[in-house]
Amino acid sequence: MGSYNRALPACIGAILAASLAACGGGGGGGSGMVAPQTANMPVLISDASSEDWATIGVKVLSISITPQGGGSPVTIYTSSTGQMVNLEQLDQVAELIGNASIPLGTYTGATLTVAANPGDVVLTTSAAPEAGFAAAASTTIPSSQIQVQGASGASGSKTVSIALTFDSPLVVTSSSSNALDLEFDLGHPAFLVGHVPPAAGTTLWAVNFDGPIRCHHIWSVDRLVLRHAYGTVTSVSSDNTSITITKDYPTIPVVSPETAIASDFSLSILADASNGTLFYDVDAKTVTTIKNFSAEAATLPNKYVRVAARYQQNGTLVATRIWASSSFDKVWLSPEGHVLKVDPTNDLIIVQNESGEPVSLSIDANTEFFFRTPANALADATPIGTGPGFLANNNMVRGFKVHASVVDPLATPLVAQTVDIETAAFDGKISNASANSFTYTRKFFAAADDYTVTLGYISPTSANGDDSSGNPIVGFKYWNFAYPTLVTSGTNAVTDFVSAVNGGVNFGGTYGSVTAWGASFARWGDTANPTGWSIPWTVLEPTPLPRGTVASGLVSGNSVSTFTMNVPGGTMSATVDVGTASGSATLVYQVDRTNGILTISPEDVTTAAGLAALTNGLAVGAPVKVYGVPQSDGTFRAYVLTYFTGTMPTN
């Protein structure tokens, strides 16, 4: 069968962010003063997640941005070998990989180059993938079964270059301080396609970077949630206010004991002189609050550290928490990943690590839970809950992205000292939408992980980012996955949202009705709910239908064509709308397996040739995979449609 990922949530995570921080430069009008000609650009990577994978490792070789009106591209990141980054750990969390100084000016696009040789993409399945997933749990896919689409170059030097156009021009000035987001969408149906052939054939995995990466949303640097940084301390500043580290990376796939890979990238990190930084000496098993590094200055150099840091608006990094040890494995051995299970009865959570293995963490009375809130320094450093009581009342569910620390990394069982909640993700079928709240119902392969939770909206007066023109938004907002720049906000946002989620498609039988599916990252402590979660936004995601078959072929229309399909367990056919108008067309992909080669080819159905190819592909009885949004008239509006040629997939 064709096996696909669902992003959690699909439309906002998955980001490669280049954050622009002002470089300073003097004011005044003295004759010797020269206006600054460049601005500093920290370069970061982040993305969305998928519950089916523990590791999606890629090597980014270079990133350049394109000046408006032509001219030579400006390289903002380069690596001769490409440091592998696990995208799965970057669920709306940014990995800082470099700094660049770029010329002032306006830029309209970017080009990313990734390595595409065997072994340059590492795939390890989750400990608990969705039912019917095309690979066993906790399995590293052999490189011989991974085919990177669009690779070029000689053997051993293969790469893929991806050109992107920004949603709006990026203007870099001497006083700019903003963030540009380029999205790796791990949940895009065409990003990772698994093809299981009939009988005992080998499953092949196609990795397609063309399409699942796009640009949207502008953030302030002080809102970026940064992944914990690993590094080796090289020095402490003479005034003891900061440390300098050389950034280290873990080996991927993970080895035991984990080994650090040093980079040539250094970072300066300040202690929080106002609120204090929590400093954990992993070797001594002590924790202190520091406002400078005077007490640690003599012992920190050459030690390994893990740092939870946040950007200030001026582009400097401030540590919220620091873990230090003479062993890299000790600071590494602190489970990071998505929560697989919450068990309040036995006071434990299970977190998936990068090897796809479940790690059980006991929660005792001293365990502190933090919610990463970099824009609010005090909130970022203050626990939102302590002990087993926090697990009750759906305060934590499967799918949250966390980075935990343990009291003793060698103890059995592991006891959590702190749990950093980096994203509080709720998703599932939407029901009971009203002016005050709505309900998410989420089903998993293991029924014990299912949850049904009713969540309220944030306060109508709460700040909630900016619109596409840079104007501030207050109160709840939502958007359709297919149109992330068309955000619905303002006084009618909740009313419009309630209307938007009332659609449904009925296939009858045991499969039944398909209703709206959404995803949200919740916010803790909003004025609407000071001691719990509130919803600042929801993205209406494409609901995946199971692989079905065409019941009646494509009928062309002016801007929308239609066909009907059947799904396993259903007793009725349902109508699928295929958009063919430029700007709102359905994304159509041909998946072909011929002679052991798996190829993903986009079809532009706004053209006569593309529409004709799709019409031929949607013959009665042909297998088809559709992701879309249920409409109020009972039809299913396709966002992504895949049809198959060559060797057909099996169920």
Side-chain angles (χ1 to χ4, degrees), residues 159-369:
T159 62
V160 174
S161 292
I162 308 104
L164 301 166
T165 300
F166 299 154
D167 286 342
S168 58
L170 168 66
V171 180
V172 181
T173 68
S174 60
S175 60
S176 63
S177 181
N178 52 24
L180 168 69
D181 299 336
L182 308 176
E183 176 180 277
F184 270 95
D185 186 358
L186 305 191
H188 193 290
F191 179 53
L192 271 175
V193 177
H195 189 289
V196 183
T202 301
T203 299
L204 297 179
W205 294 90
V207 183
N208 173 38
F209 293 104
D210 186 11
I213 307 177
R214 62 186 179 187
C215 168
H216 67 94
H217 294 312
I218 301 292
W219 293 348
S220 289
V221 292
D222 61 350
R223 297 180 189 176
L224 286 168
V225 178
L226 298 176
R227 187 187 186 191
H228 289 190
Y230 297 90
T232 302
V233 179
T234 56
S235 65
V236 179
S237 65
S238 58
D239 60 1
N240 296 319
T241 60
S242 67
I243 58 174
T244 299
I245 68 171
T246 296
K247 198 160 189 294
D248 295 327
Y249 293 90
T251 301
I252 298 176
V254 172
V255 296
S256 184
E258 184 54 86
T259 303
I261 300 175
S263 72
D264 56 3
F265 173 43
S266 64
L267 287 172
S268 178
I269 301 171
L270 294 161
D272 191 331
S274 298
N275 302 290
T277 296
L278 290 175
F279 184 87
Y280 301 89
D281 187 323
V282 178
D283 297 330
K285 300 178 184 178
T286 59
V287 55
T288 55
T289 299
I290 64 173
K291 294 190 175 182
N292 59 60
F293 294 100
S294 57
E296 292 75 30
T299 58
L300 260 182
N302 299 316
K303 280 193 173 183
Y304 295 102
V305 292
R306 175 165 60 91
V307 184
R310 57 181 174 80
Y311 269 119
Q312 297 189 109
Q313 187 62 36
N314 64 4
T316 57
L317 285 170
V318 175
T320 303
R321 286 173 287 289
I322 298 176
W323 294 261
S325 173
S326 57
S327 166
F328 180 77
D329 192 57
K330 284 187 178 180
V331 295
W332 166 259
L333 194 58
S334 50
E336 176 188 13
H338 289 88
V339 174
L340 292 176
K341 185 180 292 295
V342 178
D343 185 352
T345 302
N346 296 300
D347 300 337
L348 64 83
I349 62 174
I350 298 177
V351 178
Q352 175 176 262
N353 66 17
E354 295 195 58
S355 296
E357 299 293 339
V359 179
S360 294
L361 295 174
S362 293
I363 306 300
D364 69 9
N366 297 315
T367 303
E368 294 182 319
F369 295 86

Side-chain angles (χ1 to χ4, degrees), residues 554 556 561 578-581 585-590 601-618 641-643 645:
L554 192 69
S556 296
S561 298
V578 180
T580 57
T586 298
L587 300 178
V588 175
Y589 294 90
Q590 175 196 24
S601 302
E603 294 284 5
D604 183 357
V605 294
T606 66
T607 67
L611 192 58
L614 178 61
T615 301
N616 292 333
L618 296 183
L641 187 158
T642 299
Y643 69 96
T645 56

Side-chain angles (χ1 to χ4, degrees), residues 15 19 28 30 45 56 63 142 207 224 396 449 459 500 534 609 642:
I15 302 163
S19 306
I45 292 178
I56 300 176
I63 306 167
V207 183
L224 286 168
M396 179 175 285
D449 300 332
S459 167
S534 299
T642 299

Side-chain angles (χ1 to χ4, degrees), residues 46 58 60 67 79 82 99 136 159-160 208-210 246 302 366-367 424 473 485 613 625 639 651:
S46 65
V58 301
V60 179
S79 171
N99 279 323
T159 62
V160 174
N208 173 38
F209 293 104
D210 186 11
T246 296
N302 299 316
N366 297 315
T367 303
I473 293 174
T485 60
K625 179 75 177 179
Y639 170 63
N651 283 324

Side-chain angles (χ1 to χ4, degrees), residues 621-635:
V624 65
K625 179 75 177 179
V626 183
Y627 290 69
V629 179
Q631 304 296 297
S632 58
D633 62 1
T635 62

